[in-house]
Amino acid sequence: MDVKVKAQDLLSYEGDSLVVNLFEGVKQPGGATGAVDKALSGAIVAAIRRQEFSGKLHERLLLHTFSRLPVLQVLVIGLGKQGEFGVDRIRSASAEALRRLRQAGARRVGSVVHGAGAGGIDATQASAAVTEGALLGLYRFGKYRRATEDGERGLQQLTLLERDRNKIGSLEEGVRLGRILAEATIFARDMVNEPANALTPSELAGRAKKMAGGLGVAFKTLERAEMKRLGMGALLGVAQGSEHPPKLIVVTYRGARGKGRGLRLGLVGKGITFDSGGISIKPSEGMEAMKGDMAGGAAVLAAIKGIAELRLPVNVTAVVPATENLPSGTAQRPGDIVKTMNGKTIEVINTDAEGRLILADALCYACDAGVTHLVDVATLTGACVVALGSVRTGAFTNNRDLMRRVREASEISGEKLWELPLDDEYSEQIKSDYADMKNVGGRKAGAITAAKFLANFVGKTPWVHLDIAGTSQAEKEQGYQPKGATGAMVRTLITLAMGFAGSKQA
Ligand code: BES
Ligand code: MN
Ligand code: ZN
């Protein structure tokens, strides 16, 4: 969908539909909504008076204009209470409004920039949020379906209307930023939604290569032979059950050549293209969701895409260990002991705790490559889903300052996270009788013991681990989040890199 900004009065817009908004409880709307109400002979105020509409969050009032305006319909979207308003509500209001209009058959829609008026939000931030909400909320993974619902034609153009010419530049800057953030997120969503018969480790590498090539970003993969040479026994152990060869995908963006203080951000993402559990096989119910077990890998690749498109003056390396976790005659067994790249040995008690195994070698690889800060993203544990549900990503760290930066980025992005502790005592649970550690720590504190395990492979490098098991896929549509892959943490990682680049944060 095309998104543009136009210096034009709302009332003269000649597309199919218009979007205006209302804060909850406002009885006599002013500004754009007031002007539209007047043009419609008081239809909005009448609906408010008759209590058909009150401006509650995401409440929608669809009015026909009967030629009182050039457009066919006006949609009023509720913004909720003014005191609770913020950038994330702009994203979700934009999404909810446009989905309704798409359903109503609209192709060209004009909209106010929610929040930029009475909301008091900076014009660039507001237009970025409207754009993100629009593109993310209208996203569908339709490639395997013959037709979309009810003969919809799909929204083709969104025009942000602003009378004040002095604001146009700022609004356009926001649209550019919002589009880059949304398209990166969609790049990740498309990979997560893709079934595992199509998105093999090679295909994941292929998509990363294509993305990197288009942006002049360095790309390479390590093949099995190279992994052996480097001693990546944990990654190879997981990969040995699959017919598809594993790939270690490495993408490096250098935006701070010569500049910066030698800072280099490492992003490591779990890339299990299908997790059957291996010999410790999972129950069949819901196993199809495990095609999304590469969501962390998709997130870090997508982050590189966004960072490169923004040309941020920062150096970033993404590392994605990609393989399937399948049972077979060659698969790894419970009880097997593997050795990682940094020489530590692991007793594999449960082959379904494969994420931490492949990440162990990938984290070692990133540290060896000289990254100064590390963030890993992984659909790592069911225990994290038990703890935080699908609302917040679990976050863990060995470094307060990096956690502060990640948290700030997540707040700007509207991607909620919650920190969980990493006390020394938890290490007790992953002690092995036969090796340096074992890959499961029992029923208690499963998300934490998984993170404690990973801590063995980052050395002293400042590190944040993000467990997106609960947040990478949505069971139902809400706000700018359709059902299915969310692209969780993509916008947070890009915003984090903006912080590192010292550039203006959006
Ligand atoms: N990929 C799963 C974790 C997961 C669960 C992601 C639910 C998304 C939704 C991971 O590889 C896994 O199987 N973890 C096990 C670990 C256990 C065996 C210690 C789990 O959480 O059950
Ligand atoms: Mn597993
Ligand atoms: Zn897994």
Side-chain angles (χ1 to χ4, degrees):
M1 183 182 58
D2 175 36
V3 184
K4 59 180 186 183
V5 181
K6 211 166 166 200
Q8 186 185 350
D9 192 279
L10 216 60
L11 302 182
S12 65
Y13 176 71
E14 289 187 335
D16 300 320
S17 318
L18 268 179
V19 179
V20 291
N21 59 47
L22 193 76
F23 279 115
E24 186 174 342
V26 172
K27 296 276 184 289
Q28 195 64 55
T33 309
V36 168
D37 177 62
K38 276 209 188 71
L40 297 182
S41 317
I44 298 174
V45 169
I48 296 169
R49 276 220 199 94
R50 296 178 56 99
Q51 299 183 2
E52 292 164 11
F53 183 71
S54 65
K56 282 204 182 64
L57 187 61
H58 301 167
E59 195 185 354
R60 297 179 282 202
L61 176 68
L62 188 59
L63 298 167
H64 288 264
T65 62
F66 302 110
S67 305
R68 288 191 179 96
L69 285 171
V71 293
L72 292 170
Q73 306 144 320
V74 167
L75 187 117
V76 192
I77 181 79
L79 298 180
K81 296 199 174 72
Q82 185 149 11
E84 295 168 6
F85 190 68
V87 173
D88 211 47
R89 289 209 169 171
I90 302 179
R91 296 187 187 102
S92 59
S94 174
E96 296 274 355
L98 295 174
R99 265 207 304 272
R100 180 69 186 87
L101 287 173
R102 175 173 69 184
Q103 197 185 12
R107 311 183 82 167
R108 298 198 307 136
V109 176
S111 178
V112 293
V113 181
H114 307 297
I121 310 257
D122 161 77
T124 303
Q125 276 192 326
S127 67
V130 169
T131 307
E132 277 172 64
L135 297 172
L136 293 175
L138 291 171
Y139 170 82
R140 286 190 283 216
F141 184 70
K143 72 184 274 196
Y144 294 105
R145 302 183 62 164
R146 263 184 301 130
T148 48
E149 291 90 76
D150 34 79
E152 281 171 10
R153 295 164 303 175
L155 242 156
Q156 293 181 342
Q157 189 180 65
L158 172 64
T159 308
L160 306 184
L161 302 162
E162 169 58 54
R163 262 190 318 198
D164 184 354
R165 287 188 179 275
N166 295 319
K167 281 192 178 171
I168 300 299
S170 312
L171 293 174
E172 281 174 342
E173 174 58 18
V175 169
R176 187 184 84 93
L177 178 60
R179 173 176 289 285
I180 289 173
L181 290 166
E183 284 178 352
T185 306
I186 285 168
F187 179 60
R189 283 182 182 177
D190 277 342
M191 292 190 275
V192 173
N193 282 327
E194 192 72 60
N197 58 337
L199 197 92
T200 59
S202 308
E203 172 63 15
L204 183 60
R207 291 196 190 190
K209 184 176 186 180
K210 194 167 163 216
M211 176 276 291
L215 288 164
V217 171
F219 166 92
K220 69 172 174 181
T221 54
L222 305 196
E223 310 297 322
R224 201 177 247 136
E226 183 77 350
M227 296 174 196
K228 274 191 190 134
R229 208 180 59 72
L230 291 170
M232 298 182 158
L235 171 55
L236 287 164
V238 174
Q240 78 192 33
S242 169
E243 298 278 339
H244 290 289
K247 305 275 169 183
L248 187 83
I249 304 164
V250 185
V251 181
T252 301
Y253 166 75
R254 290 187 188 84
R257 286 176 202 273
K259 291 177 274 179
R261 297 141 292 167
L263 207 144
R264 187 152 159 213
L265 178 60
L267 303 176
V268 176
K270 172 176 173 181
I272 295 288
T273 59
F274 189 74
D275 182 13
S276 71
I279 295 295
S280 312
I281 199 162
K282 288 180 180 296
S284 53
E285 195 181 317
M287 203 200 274
E288 69 279 2
M290 286 300 123
K291 71 175 180 179
D293 210 20
M294 30 53 69
V300 305
L301 294 171
I304 293 272
K305 172 175 150 77
I307 291 164
E309 285 179 353
L310 288 168
R311 299 176 179 281
L312 297 180
V314 60
N315 296 327
V316 190
T317 299
V319 179
V320 180
T323 178
E324 292 186 303
N325 185 25
L326 292 182
S328 77
T330 60
Q332 127 172 298
R333 297 143 287 248
D336 285 3
I337 294 176
V338 294
K339 193 187 227 173
T340 58
M341 190 175 164
N342 69 356
K344 294 190 183 180
T345 57
I346 302 164
E347 184 187 7
V348 179
I349 300 293
N350 189 319
T351 63
D352 196 12
E354 84 296 340
R356 63 198 78 182
L357 295 172
I358 66 166
L359 288 171
D361 281 324
L363 289 167
C364 288
Y365 182 85
C367 288
D368 272 22
V371 303
T372 57
H373 297 76
L374 251 182
V375 179
D376 82 72
V377 189
T379 47
L380 202 63
T381 67
C384 192
V385 190
V386 173
L388 301 174
S390 52
V391 178
R392 286 185 189 254
T393 291
F396 307 79
T397 193
N398 63 2
N399 185 280
R400 297 312 324 155
D401 186 58
L402 185 58
M403 179 58 88
R404 181 187 55 74
R405 284 168 175 272
V406 172
R407 181 180 287 125
E408 280 172 16
S410 90
E411 281 166 6
I412 290 168
S413 311
E415 301 188 293
K416 295 179 186 174
L417 53 76
W418 194 256
E419 188 178 354
L420 293 170
L422 284 179
D423 300 273
D424 288 340
E425 291 92 321
Y426 290 108
S427 293
E428 200 65 37
Q429 287 174 240
I430 51 171
K431 281 197 172 143
S432 162
D433 292 335
Y434 302 100
D436 295 331
M437 70 198 88
K438 57 184 180 183
N439 77 332
V440 296
R443 283 171 46 83
K444 294 177 174 176
I448 299 175
T449 53
K452 284 304 274 185
F453 179 98
L454 296 181
N456 283 290
F457 304 95
V458 300
K460 290 204 160 59
T461 310
W463 159 70
V464 166
H465 158 58
L466 298 171
D467 191 334
I468 57 167
T471 49
S472 63
Q473 291 181 264
E475 283 161 18
K476 59 172 174 39
E477 158 184 303
Q478 199 191 35
Y480 55 93
Q481 182 49 69
K483 204 168 155 181
T486 61
M489 293 297 125
V490 172
R491 290 176 303 117
T492 294
L493 293 176
I494 298 170
T495 307
L496 175 70
M498 286 183 194
F500 272 103
S503 71
K504 204 175 110 193
Q505 299 206 0

